[in-house]
Amino acid sequence: MIFNNLLNFINNSYIFSKKKVDSFYLSSNIYNRKITSSIVSSLEYYPSPSLLDAIIKYDKKKINIENYSLDKIWDNKKLKKKDYKNLNSFFWLFSLDLKSSKKDVQNVILQWIDKNHRYNSKSWEVDMVAKRIIAWTSNSRLTYEDSNIDYKDKFNAIIKKQINHLINKIEGSEGIDDKIIGCAAIILTGLSYRDKDGYLKTGLSLLKKLVKFSFDNDGFPKSRSIRQLCFYLKYFILIREWFKESQSEIPSFINENIYYLGQAYAFSWQNNKVDLLFNGNNQTNNADFDHYLKRLGYSFKNQSNELGGYAALNSKKISLLMDVGPSPDKKFSSNYQAGALSFEIISNGKKLICNSGYFQNHNHQLNELSKSSAAHSTLILDDRSSCRFNKTKDESSKISHGLKILKKNIVFEKNYWKINAVHDGYFKEYGTKHEREIVFYPEQIKFVGCDKIISKNGIKNLKFEIRFHLEPNIKIMMTKDNRSILIDLGGEGWKLISNNNNINIVNGLYFGGKDSFVDNQNIVISGMTNDENQTIKWEITKL
């Protein structure tokens, strides 16, 4: 213990000293000269701001910049961190009416350049620099057109200075999402300035490295995050459209990754048009993105039954979806949730059984709760999750002890569906494995579930719970015999039954909306482990 504490102290001291030295160097004249470009070329390609419609969230009602006080916009020292980042990222430019005064917009940018022409740790973070460059370049009708030579020289010089900084720092950034935004900004700068500085080659090379690092062999993010695959798809399409609009040759690997990401998007969203609440996902409603794809001529289809560690069996009216994948590697696990073998059922576009969603703010205690197995429709043993998480220096929690899928079997026939899988998340601590099998009989519209607690020579007398989460608007009622639960799914009647087991209704929290929660109800089957191989059966039938 003393030795481990000493190693941690030495490691933390090294990291602290390294950060101090790095900060001193970045603020030095040496670094300032290094990232200052000696040749300042002019902006030649003016990208359309509408290409970012899938990424930018802004009010449809446009604002006029002349209605706001701009003289001291960069002097407000009381801004919260989120507001500061939003202001310095300049994505608010996309909310401006094109009738806004170009002079006023350009004056705001000049003020920013005057106060931030050298690196500083607050306004030169990787994600802020990348977003700022994309915003300035994509809104060139306001930020660049009809300006004088002196302004254009300053604008072009600070763009290149920031890009040079981005190239230096992007690979050291911990956030994978920040890296893809950074690659997009470097590529856009190469296209906009006709690649006189080699930015295009650099940006594409960095993007290829990112793909190799963070995508699996099927083109699905190694994080197994549905939210992240949508994010990647949006940026790859954006980059492709920049190439297309600037009349530049589209790299083949861009097309290839859009194909695979599009397949995953069809699998996880378009086949059901319902958000699946697995591994960091929330209710996003991608209808606007679907319209964007249609407008640009993209169409994706995927009828696979398994992808990215998820099983999906679909008919016109019923869908059964289950997490049958292993936990991701630690470096990809900051938004992973311990929902192994959790499932969701969709009936006529409505969730019958769901998971609880995800509270994304890593600094909030509800983030930890939403990561737990108890927030999922799966089995929980001894009030603990199937994975262990530890807090990291960036405040997120990452996996310290993950799980593997030991076997799985998926059957999809006209009158018989089955998903079967086993995970070892409880084996190290309790000598126990969890096997789940869900069978659906389409003709009877009946789901038959079987959860096995396999604990040969394992610890006995452990509390178990099998949770079935419901969306907040679902009405449920216990029957008089206390053996079954009636579910009212917007006019559809369903019944969940589990003979020879304790079954109850308990209150819970639903995190379907990003960083928000509402009350919901769970159905819980509970008991104590006893036999070496214990089986808990349940059924969900449409009335």
Side-chain angles (χ1 to χ4, degrees), residues 181-327:
I181 302 172
C183 288
I186 297 167
I187 290 168
L188 177 60
T189 304
L191 291 170
S192 298
Y193 288 89
R194 297 304 180 192
D195 205 29
K196 294 182 176 64
D197 300 272
Y199 292 142
L200 192 57
K201 182 179 179 180
T202 300
L204 289 171
S205 176
L206 288 167
L207 188 58
K208 285 180 181 178
K209 286 183 182 179
L210 180 62
V211 167
K212 187 175 181 180
F213 173 74
S214 61
F215 287 14
D216 67 17
N217 293 333
D218 295 321
F220 205 99
K222 291 179 182 178
S223 64
R224 301 190 54 235
S225 167
I226 295 170
R227 181 203 63 79
Q228 195 169 55
L229 87 81
C230 290
F231 178 84
Y232 282 158
L233 178 59
K234 289 175 181 179
Y235 268 94
F236 267 91
I237 286 176
L238 175 62
I239 291 168
R240 186 182 187 277
E241 291 303 311
W242 283 335
F243 272 94
K244 184 178 176 182
E245 188 180 60
S246 65
Q247 299 183 346
S248 303
E249 183 180 353
I250 301 169
S252 58
F253 92 96
I254 298 289
N255 290 328
E256 181 181 345
N257 281 284
I258 288 174
Y259 171 79
Y260 285 115
L261 289 168
Q263 291 280 297
Y265 180 70
F267 175 88
S268 61
W269 163 260
Q270 290 185 324
N271 288 349
N272 296 298
K273 301 293 185 181
V274 176
D275 288 296
L276 309 181
L277 300 183
F278 297 101
N279 297 325
N281 205 25
N282 296 107
Q283 291 177 332
T284 55
N285 190 354
N286 292 307
D288 288 343
F289 184 44
D290 286 341
H291 289 309
Y292 174 87
L293 292 172
K294 185 176 181 180
R295 173 166 64 87
L296 295 178
Y298 292 90
S299 179
F300 305 116
K301 292 182 180 180
N302 190 339
Q303 299 302 318
S304 301
N305 297 328
E306 183 183 1
L307 187 66
Y310 301 101
L313 307 182
N314 302 297
S315 67
K316 290 182 178 180
K317 294 184 177 181
I318 297 289
S319 294
L320 171 63
L321 310 118
M322 188 188 292
D323 182 343
V324 293
S327 57

Side-chain angles (χ1 to χ4, degrees), residues 355-382:
N355 293 313
S356 285
Y358 184 55
F359 198 93
Q360 193 166 331
N361 184 350
H362 293 148
N363 296 317
H364 200 289
Q365 61 183 359
L366 290 178
N367 175 259
E368 296 296 308
L369 179 60
S370 70
K371 280 175 171 280
S372 69
S373 295
H376 295 77
S377 294
T378 190
L379 178 136
I380 304 98
L381 197 61
D382 197 30

